Amino acid sequence: MQLMEKEDVENQTDVTEFILLGFGDLPELQILLFLVFLVIYIVTMAGNILIIALVVTDQHLHTPMYFFLGNLSCLETCYTSALLPRMLSSLLTGDRTISVGGCITQFFFFCFLATTECYLLAAMSYDRYLAICKPLHYGTCMNGKLCLQLAAGCWIIGFLPCTIMMCFMSQVIFCGPNEMDHFFCDLTPILKLSCSDTRQMMLVFYIFFFPDAVSPFLLTLTSYVCIVSTILRIPSTTGRQKAFSTCSSHLIVVTLFYGTIVIVYMIPKSSNLRALSKVFSVFYTVLTPLANPLIYSLRNREVKEALRKAVRKCLALIKNSD
């Protein structure tokens, strides 16, 4: 029986490309969607690159919190560029095909950057925990060496399991339907199109990626439980507001990121809820990278002051050149 199944797979033609259906069921809105996502992409890239530039050039932002924020903005720039250009091209030209290799490569970068973001958010929450709960030890604990180690650890932990997953995915055979009801290459839609036995791959996924999703979430949650507990013990209202303001931007970003991920991956995979799942996927893959620079710039006094100084310098240079 197994031999017959193997022969059936071998007799079928290998699929060399997938069709990402995306938002193809809304043909009348393709141009509008292209313009909306193009604006989002430009604003996301500009906002995150601006934050990186401010963190690098402004001495007042050379602190652990802004070091991690610079890493997060760098990550969001790469994350957005891994997904949106392909979708924009599809919306503009109508060509929704992507090669199998291109699809797996896109999934690798999505997986790598999303996992890294989970750990970066955990590192940022640990930084806020030390700043609020252990203020007297903050300067000695969160030194430059520890910041570099935490940031490097986040990127390495994100990279290694995804590389292992790619080794397994390179062995998968695709020989059946090639239509993927999504706007980017995610694990579940890819495996649905596989003709291979994917049980081993799913085992690898649960061994590596389940802890990679749960561990940083629990670290973040534990940090914020301690932070909230400490803030509530501060006697003055002004003191509580000041303490909460130092972590409110990060808390909003964490809530947006994990909230939409939980909805997308916990929602039942019925045909009626597929469109809703796709909408929430847009939130955490497209809108969260857009929201990060807006939240940190609009709610953060130091970033706004650094931005004002940068604008004044630019205007002074322009005036002097004239």
Side-chain angles (χ1 to χ4, degrees):
M1 185 68 178
Q2 289 180 348
L3 183 62
M4 290 176 63
E5 288 178 358
K6 186 176 180 182
E7 288 176 352
D8 287 342
V9 170
E10 289 175 349
N11 290 334
Q12 290 176 316
T13 305
D14 286 351
V15 170
T16 58
E17 62 182 22
F18 297 131
I19 299 173
L20 291 170
L21 298 180
F23 302 100
D25 55 341
L26 303 169
E28 68 282 358
L29 296 177
Q30 297 298 290
I31 298 300
L32 177 62
L33 287 172
F34 169 77
L35 293 173
V36 169
F37 285 120
L38 179 62
V39 171
I40 289 173
Y41 182 56
I42 293 170
V43 173
T44 301
M45 294 295 288
N48 282 295
I49 291 171
L50 179 60
I51 284 183
I52 295 169
L54 291 174
V55 170
V56 170
T57 58
D58 195 296
Q59 292 289 329
H60 295 94
L61 301 184
H62 289 182
T63 63
M65 183 173 78
Y66 295 110
F67 171 75
F68 290 121
L69 177 57
N71 272 267
L72 182 65
S73 292
C74 179
L75 183 145
E76 298 290 23
T77 302
C78 300
Y79 188 69
T80 305
S81 297
L83 302 179
L84 267 180
R86 178 67 193 78
M87 185 167 65
L88 288 170
S89 173
S90 174
L91 289 169
L92 184 63
T93 64
D95 180 15
R96 299 198 291 273
T97 60
I98 183 171
S99 67
V100 171
C103 189
I104 292 174
T105 301
Q106 186 187 60
F107 171 70
F108 168 76
F109 282 105
F110 163 71
C111 167
F112 161 44
L113 294 167
T115 305
T116 303
E117 182 163 5
C118 289
Y119 280 97
L120 263 179
L121 292 174
M124 293 173 78
S125 65
Y126 177 66
D127 171 70
R128 292 298 83 206
Y129 160 76
L130 287 179
I132 293 171
C133 301
K134 310 282 184 183
L136 298 178
H137 304 286
Y138 179 69
T140 54
C141 291
M142 191 57 73
N143 52 43
K145 183 180 179 181
L146 180 60
C147 288
L148 286 172
Q149 288 173 341
L150 285 173
C154 291
W155 289 92
I156 292 169
I157 292 172
F159 179 78
L160 290 179
C162 294
T163 304
I164 294 169
M165 177 63 82
M166 288 308 102
C167 294
F168 281 91
M169 289 195 77
S170 64
Q171 307 301 317
V172 173
I173 298 170
F174 301 97
C175 57
N178 67 338
E179 289 188 345
M180 194 180 298
D181 191 13
H182 217 324
F183 61 89
F184 73 97
C185 296
D186 202 356
L187 179 65
T188 304
I190 291 175
L191 294 185
K192 278 184 179 179
L193 303 180
S194 168
C195 298
S196 307
D197 186 352
T198 58
R199 285 176 296 183
Q200 189 178 24
M201 185 179 298
M202 291 308 297
L203 179 62
V204 171
F205 175 78
Y206 285 118
I207 289 172
F208 284 102
F209 290 95
F210 186 73
D212 267 348
V214 174
S215 299
F217 173 73
L218 291 178
L219 286 170
T220 303
L221 183 62
T222 303
S223 296
Y224 272 103
V225 169
C226 295
I227 287 169
V228 170
S229 175
T230 301
I231 290 174
L232 291 177
R233 289 201 300 269
I234 297 174
S236 68
T237 304
T238 306
R240 286 196 296 269
Q241 290 175 344
K242 185 177 179 181
F244 184 72
S245 67
T246 63
C247 62
S248 58
S249 297
H250 180 254
L251 183 58
I252 293 169
V253 169
V254 167
T255 304
L256 279 173
F257 181 73
Y258 279 111
T260 50
I261 282 183
V262 167
I263 291 171
V264 167
Y265 290 104
M266 295 300 178
I267 198 170
K269 298 296 184 283
S270 65
S271 57
N272 295 331
L273 296 174
R274 196 173 296 153
L276 185 62
S277 176
K278 205 183 295 185
V279 169
F280 279 107
S281 293
V282 170
F283 271 90
Y284 83 88
T285 57
V286 177
L287 296 183
T288 301
L290 170 68
N292 286 355
L294 295 177
I295 290 168
Y296 278 106
S297 60
L298 293 176
R299 295 184 58 86
N300 194 293
R301 182 174 53 82
E302 288 90 351
V303 173
K304 286 191 284 188
E305 183 58 34
L307 184 57
R308 287 193 199 98
K309 285 164 61 179
V311 170
R312 283 198 295 268
K313 285 181 181 178
C314 290
L315 291 175
L317 287 172
I318 293 170
K319 189 176 180 180
N320 291 335
S321 63
D322 292 339

